[in-house]
């Protein structure tokens, strides 16, 4: 493979400049950035290969040298500070070997300690990385941050003065840009704190033949404002919800045959309750399990069982035992499906039994048996209905909230009764104004404003993840390896609440759901109510899917977390939120490429992980990869550590933004499997 270019953004200052800088300084703490934009070929920390001999030749005591990846990332610097605080306390001066953004980040981090730059940033053409925080670097190739103690005069002063203020500032504001703080006011404050005598320095010379940073900074500012909104990390992919957000839910025609897998949930596979030749009715239970973590399945049509055999499954690659039923067209309901007019008198246990018996599972995609959440061994004080639907393209929940708010709120009342709660939340992203209005109107009409509150959340992916949602709505942090119930919270999808209402009030099992059928290769993009077990191929044909040239990708779910389908011969299951058919991407994911350590996966990971290290672990040619990783201090194989691979929620943000287009999620899935086998 051709060796990749090294686009590292800084270089060590000239030796004579460093010698002059350190001549009256000792007890040095050195921060070294692990470098970005170079091939990720080793996790062995970058040492002070050139700097260290200079310091020793001049008799300096180096208290500690700390290498940190992406030193510009203040969030992660704060997380790791406990590892080097003792060394900092013992030191008198701090040297930073990094680009300008990293140096400024350290200066902000150490507000009361002098910070000296021992590197110059290398000018780069075009867009070069995204700094998440307010620090800016113009890449001017001459770093003034030592003289100004970590506040860049080029990017903070409108006139880019490097030898002191112009004298025109009033009340701390620039005379040119009156809404901007004077950069030299900030520098003077910093100089007072660090007791650094700027005025004894020789005159500074500014090179104007540098790359203009204003264009890249405009882009960075736009990204930065949104990146820290709601929670750390996350991305803003094109939503593409306009294809179907205004399409009312339509009933998909009755299928002639349904194929109902005996596993459509987390937990044990059901055993069949019928045999070939049996006649079944709509809503009849046809599969169940005695296991606690499981959910029964029901027939979605009336007709005759024609086969019970292993068939392709959209989630389980090896296939699952599936009951095939040929519909008789009568659509005759089973006697167990009957409305309960006095459902409000039912006890908590009665309600939980109904939810279990009717096969209700989480309809956001996870398919976790709902009744299990309501048998929590721990006290619950908060219920959140998740109406965020942050996956691009998908609008099933949006339309459900617009068209069926009464049933959703009714289901929430039932769930709150089970939990004994007087207060609950419905979280909806602000890109669904009709849904917010419809649900709000229903809450008002039912005089439930004191019991149910709508949490309107700015749109961001993956807002709908339980951990992010709980943090935003309640301020609580779900512990590593923990569940929402560990912080007293239960989260359910709005579709699940709708299904609970139908189960308790109308006696209807989970035999149908709303599915968004969309994507560039779909002619008639729709929101359809589809019976469980309906063949995907029939739905795609109904919607005019263009599959003839083979240039398509079919996912069940959204583009970020949806499951790639290699066969059209799979059925709709309870967790099918969407059928997304798009063109094949111009650039395919490939493990043949190299990680260039751009750090964007770290910037966007909402779990604050280091996905690039998982990639290194699985793909490094080093024989000592485990030992090397232990030296990083990130402990990525320990399932209980903060950076353990098992903490990944597989939201796909890292893969989405990966500069090298690496298959990071598949890599992480393998890594998680292996990490679970490693004893902590």
């Amino acid at each position: 493979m051709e060796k990749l270019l090294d686009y590292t953004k800084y270089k060590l200052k000239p030796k004579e400049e460093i010698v002059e800088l350190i001549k009256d300084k000792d007890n040095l703490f050195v921060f070294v950035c692990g470098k970005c934009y170079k091939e990720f070929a080793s996790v062995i920390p970058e040492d002070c290969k050139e700097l260290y001999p200079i310091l020793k030749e001049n008799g300096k005591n180096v208290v500690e040298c700390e290498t940190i990846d992406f030193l510009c990332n203040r969030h992660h610097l704060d997380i790791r500070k406990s590892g080097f605080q003792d060394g900092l306390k013992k030191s008198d001066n701090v040297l930073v070997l990094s680009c300008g953004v990293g140096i400024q980040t350290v200066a902000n981090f150490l507000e009361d300690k002098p910070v000296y730059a021992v590197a110059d940033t290398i000018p780069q053409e075009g867009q070069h990385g995204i700094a998440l925080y307010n620090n800016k670097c113009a890449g001017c190739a001459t770093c003034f941050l030592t003289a100004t103690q970590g506040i860049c005069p080029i990017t903070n002063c409108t006139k880019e003065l490097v030898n002191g203020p112009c004298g025109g500032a009033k009340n701390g504001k620039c005379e040119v840009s009156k809404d901007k703080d004077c950069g030299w006011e900030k520098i003077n404050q910093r100089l007072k704190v660090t007791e650094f005598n700027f005025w004894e320095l020789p005159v500074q010379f500014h090179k104007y033949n540098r790359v203009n940073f204003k264009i890249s900074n405009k882009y960075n500012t736009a990204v930065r404002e949104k990146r820290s909104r709601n929670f750390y990390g996350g991305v803003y992919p094109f939503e593409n919800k306009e294809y179907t957000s205004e399409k009312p839910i339509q009933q998909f025609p009755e299928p002639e045959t349904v194929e109902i897998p005996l596993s459509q949930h987390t937990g044990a596979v059901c055993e069949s309750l019928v045999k070939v030749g049996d006649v079944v009715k709509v809503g009849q239970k046809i599969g169940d399990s005695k296991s606690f973590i499981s959910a029964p399945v029901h027939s979605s049509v009336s007709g005759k069982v024609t086969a019970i055999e292993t068939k392709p499954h959209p989630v389980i690659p090896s296939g699952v035992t599936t009951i095939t039923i040929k519909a008789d067209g009568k659509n005759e309901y089973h006697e167990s499906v009957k409305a309960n007019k006095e459902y409000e008198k039912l006890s908590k246990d009665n309600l939980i039994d109904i939810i279990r018996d009717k096969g209700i599972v989480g309809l956001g995609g996870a398919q976790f048996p709902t009744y299990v959440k309501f048998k929590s061994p721990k006290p619950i004080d908060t219920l959140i209905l998740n109406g965020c639907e942050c996956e691009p393209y998908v609008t099933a929940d949006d339309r459900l909230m617009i068209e069926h708010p009464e049933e959703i709120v009714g289901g929430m009342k039932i769930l709150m009764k089970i939990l004994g709660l007087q207060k609950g939340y419905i979280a909806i992203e602000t890109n669904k104004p009709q849904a917010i209005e419809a649900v709000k109107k229903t809450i008002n009409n039912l005089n439930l404003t004191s019991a149910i509150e709508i949490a309107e959340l700015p749109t961001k992916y993956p807002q709908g993840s339980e951990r992010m949602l709980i943090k935003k709505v309640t301020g609580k942090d779900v512990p590593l390896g923990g569940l929402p119930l560990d912080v007293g919270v239960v989260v359910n999808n709005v579709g699940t609440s709708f299904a609970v209402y139908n189960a308790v009030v109308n006696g209807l099992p989970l035999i149908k759901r709303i599915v968004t059928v969309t994507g560039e290769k779909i002619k008639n993009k729709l929101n359809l109510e589809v019976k469980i077990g309906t063949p995907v191929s029939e739905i795609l044909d109904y919607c005019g899917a263009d599959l003839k040239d083979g240039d398509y990708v079919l996912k069940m779910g959204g583009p970020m977390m949806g499951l790639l389908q290699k066969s059209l011969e799979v059925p709709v299951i309870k967790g099918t939120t969407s059928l997304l058919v798009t063109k094949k991407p111009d650039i395919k994911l490939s493990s043949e490429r190299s990680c260039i350590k751009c750090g964007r996966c770290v910037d966007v990971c909402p779990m604050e992980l280091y996905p690039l290290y998982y990639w290194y672990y699985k793909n490094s040619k080093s024989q000592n990869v485990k030992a090397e990783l232990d030296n990083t201090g990130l402990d990525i194989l320990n399932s209980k550590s903060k950076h353990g691979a098992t903490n990944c929620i597989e939201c796909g943000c890292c893969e989405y933004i990966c500069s090298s287009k690496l298959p990071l999620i598949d890599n992480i899935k393998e890594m998680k499997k292996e990490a679970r086998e490693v004893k902590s």
Side-chain angles (χ1 to χ4, degrees):
M1 183 182 295
E2 185 178 354
K3 184 174 176 57
L4 296 175
L5 293 175
D6 186 343
Y7 281 101
T8 297
K9 296 189 286 186
Y10 66 84
K11 62 180 179 182
L12 193 68
K13 282 180 178 289
K15 180 179 178 180
E16 58 272 22
E17 191 174 336
I18 295 174
V19 172
E20 178 66 20
L21 173 68
I22 62 174
K23 65 181 181 181
D24 56 352
K25 301 171 182 65
D26 205 354
N27 296 324
L28 306 172
F29 188 102
V30 183
F31 278 108
V32 181
C33 180
K35 293 186 178 180
C36 59
Y37 287 93
K38 54 175 284 189
E39 183 175 357
F40 188 17
S42 174
V43 296
I44 298 175
E46 295 278 348
D47 55 25
C48 309
K49 292 176 183 173
E50 298 176 70
L51 176 61
Y52 201 72
I54 297 174
L55 302 179
K56 284 298 179 186
E57 285 174 15
N58 287 273
K60 301 301 177 183
N61 174 39
V62 178
V63 177
E64 185 173 336
C65 180
E66 184 74 22
T67 298
I68 295 180
D69 279 327
F70 316 117
L71 192 56
C72 58
N73 190 319
R74 174 62 188 268
H75 184 85
H76 282 281
L77 185 62
D78 284 335
I79 290 173
R80 299 189 63 181
K81 64 183 179 184
S82 61
F84 53 78
Q85 269 189 329
D86 289 343
L88 274 175
K89 290 178 181 176
K90 297 174 183 174
S91 66
D92 297 323
N93 299 281
V94 175
L95 307 185
V96 186
L97 185 55
S98 167
C99 74
V101 182
I103 297 167
Q104 293 178 72
T105 303
V106 172
N108 291 339
F109 177 70
L110 303 171
E111 294 181 347
D112 59 349
K113 199 171 280 279
V115 173
Y116 303 99
V118 289
D120 288 324
T121 305
I122 301 171
Q124 303 285 347
E125 294 288 346
Q127 305 292 341
H128 192 82
I130 300 172
L132 294 181
Y133 304 94
N134 291 327
N135 302 319
K136 308 177 185 73
C137 178
C140 60
T142 303
C143 198
F144 300 96
L145 291 169
T146 288
T148 56
Q149 283 295 288
I151 298 176
C152 179
I154 306 301
T155 58
N156 282 278
C157 173
T158 304
K159 297 178 181 178
E160 301 184 6
L161 300 177
V162 297
N163 287 290
C166 65
K170 292 182 180 179
N171 299 321
K173 296 294 182 182
C174 174
E175 68 172 347
V176 178
S177 304
K178 298 188 184 306
D179 59 343
K180 181 177 179 179
D181 292 334
C182 171
W184 274 96
E185 289 268 355
K186 293 191 288 186
I187 292 170
N188 281 332
Q189 291 299 320
R190 173 72 181 171
L191 293 174
K192 290 178 183 176
V193 172
T194 58
E195 299 180 349
F196 185 83
N197 194 342
F198 170 82
W199 308 108
E200 290 185 351
L201 295 176
V203 173
Q204 307 292 313
F205 293 95
H206 178 16
K207 296 177 182 177
Y208 284 92
N209 60 339
R210 59 174 170 75
V211 178
N212 191 315
F213 84 100
K214 292 182 179 177
I215 295 176
S216 59
N217 187 55
K218 183 178 180 181
Y219 176 63
N220 286 350
T221 300
V223 173
R224 190 185 308 124
E225 288 177 354
K226 298 167 73 176
R227 187 63 61 77
S228 298
R229 180 187 295 169
N230 294 359
F231 53 86
Y232 177 87
V235 293
Y236 294 88
F238 290 114
E239 294 182 12
N240 292 323
K241 290 177 181 286
E242 66 275 11
Y243 293 146
T244 54
S245 59
E246 298 296 328
K247 300 285 183 68
I249 299 169
Q250 295 183 24
Q251 179 76 46
F252 185 75
E254 283 288 314
E256 295 183 358
T257 300
V258 293
E259 295 181 342
I260 301 177
L262 289 172
S263 178
Q264 302 180 52
H265 48 266
T266 302
V269 179
C270 293
E271 295 179 1
S272 176
L273 302 179
V274 295
K275 59 183 184 298
V276 175
D278 283 357
V279 174
V280 298
K281 297 180 180 178
V282 178
Q284 179 176 338
K285 188 185 296 183
I286 57 175
D288 204 348
S289 170
K290 294 180 180 178
S291 297
F292 179 63
I293 309 292
S294 188
V297 296
H298 303 74
S299 176
S300 57
V301 298
S302 60
K304 180 179 289 187
V305 176
T306 59
I308 302 175
E309 57 191 345
T310 300
K311 288 199 170 184
H313 189 280
V315 179
I316 304 170
S318 58
V320 166
T321 302
T322 299
I323 298 175
T324 303
I325 303 171
K326 183 173 178 54
D328 58 15
K330 298 178 182 177
N331 212 24
E332 185 177 358
Y333 278 75
H334 190 258
E335 50 271 23
S336 62
V337 182
K338 53 185 178 184
N340 189 341
K341 295 181 180 179
E342 297 186 337
Y343 73 93
E344 292 181 329
K345 297 180 180 178
L346 293 173
S347 68
K348 168 185 172 179
D349 290 338
N350 291 150
L351 292 170
I352 291 176
D353 288 344
I354 292 173
I355 292 171
R356 196 258 176 222
D357 195 55
K358 298 298 182 182
I360 310 301
V361 301
L363 295 187
Q367 302 183 122
F368 189 81
T370 301
Y371 91 100
V372 176
K373 290 186 176 182
F374 293 87
K375 286 201 165 190
S376 170
K378 298 183 178 180
I380 302 296
D381 56 37
T382 304
L383 172 67
I384 301 174
L385 281 195
N386 184 357
C388 290
E389 199 171 49
C390 57
E391 273 274 7
Y393 287 93
V394 187
T395 58
D397 287 348
D398 188 10
R399 291 309 310 181
L400 195 65
M401 289 187 284
I402 293 171
E403 300 179 39
H404 296 279
E406 293 84 3
E407 293 93 328
I408 292 171
V409 173
M412 185 169 187
K413 284 178 61 182
I414 294 169
L415 297 176
M416 289 173 65
K417 178 180 179 180
I418 295 173
L419 295 172
L421 300 179
Q422 302 300 314
K423 181 78 176 181
Y425 300 89
I426 303 179
I428 308 173
E429 286 193 334
T430 51
N431 62 351
K432 303 174 185 64
Q434 293 184 69
I436 292 173
E437 184 60 29
V439 176
K440 190 177 292 183
K441 184 178 179 181
T442 299
I443 293 172
N444 289 335
N445 290 342
L446 296 174
N447 293 320
L448 293 172
T449 52
S450 62
I452 301 176
E453 181 179 331
I454 295 181
E456 299 182 34
L457 306 178
T459 305
K460 186 180 185 182
Y461 181 86
Q463 185 89 256
S465 170
E466 283 186 339
R467 186 180 293 267
M468 278 80 239
L469 194 60
I470 291 170
K471 175 68 175 177
K472 183 61 183 176
V473 175
T474 70
K476 298 178 179 178
D477 285 310
V478 179
L480 293 175
L483 297 169
L485 63 87
D486 292 325
V487 292
V489 179
V490 167
V491 179
N492 276 121
N493 181 265
V494 291
T496 307
S497 184
F498 177 75
V500 166
Y501 179 87
N502 277 325
V504 172
V505 179
N506 300 318
L508 189 67
L510 185 46
I511 58 171
K512 55 186 177 182
R513 66 155 298 141
I514 311 303
V515 179
T516 300
V517 187
T518 185
E520 291 83 357
K521 302 289 281 186
I522 297 291
K523 182 178 180 181
N524 301 313
K525 302 173 183 63
L526 298 168
N527 292 299
L528 296 171
E529 184 178 72
V530 182
K531 287 198 167 181
I532 302 299
T534 301
V536 165
S537 57
E538 290 185 16
I539 300 171
L540 296 181
D541 186 55
Y542 179 80
C543 294
D546 177 12
L547 310 177
K548 294 178 182 176
D549 57 5
D551 181 25
Y552 71 89
V553 173
L554 168 62
K555 280 191 172 183
M556 186 170 283
M560 300 297 289
M561 293 188 74
L563 296 173
L564 187 65
Q565 301 297 312
K566 296 181 179 178
S567 170
L568 301 179
E569 304 307 315
V570 292
V572 166
I573 59 176
K574 294 176 181 179
T576 305
T577 58
S578 170
L579 296 175
L580 174 65
V581 188
T582 56
K583 294 180 180 177
K584 288 182 177 177
D586 294 331
I587 303 175
K588 297 179 181 178
L589 299 176
S590 173
S591 58
E592 296 298 316
R593 302 191 189 97
S594 297
C595 171
I596 61 169
K597 206 179 180 184
C598 66
R600 293 189 175 190
C601 58
V602 180
D603 289 344
V604 302
C605 177
M607 294 300 291
E608 305 169 10
L609 305 175
Y610 284 73
L612 75 164
Y613 277 78
Y614 306 145
W615 179 261
Y616 181 82
Y617 174 78
K618 293 298 293 182
N619 298 277
S620 172
K621 296 177 182 176
S622 169
Q623 299 296 315
N624 300 311
V625 60
K626 175 72 169 55
E628 291 178 8
L629 286 167
D630 287 344
N631 286 332
T632 65
L634 297 180
D635 210 5
I636 64 175
L637 291 175
N638 186 338
S639 61
K640 295 181 180 178
S641 79
K642 175 172 176 55
H643 295 287
T646 52
N647 292 315
C648 172
I649 59 174
E650 301 176 21
C651 64
C653 287
C654 57
E655 191 170 278
Y656 170 79
I657 207 165
C658 177
S659 301
S660 295
K661 292 298 174 190
L662 302 173
L664 294 175
I665 296 301
D666 284 346
N667 181 81
I668 288 173
K669 287 179 179 177
E670 294 175 14
M671 180 79 184
K672 289 168 75 173
K673 183 179 179 182
E674 189 169 341
R676 291 190 188 99
E677 298 171 359
V678 176
K679 291 183 178 179
S680 300

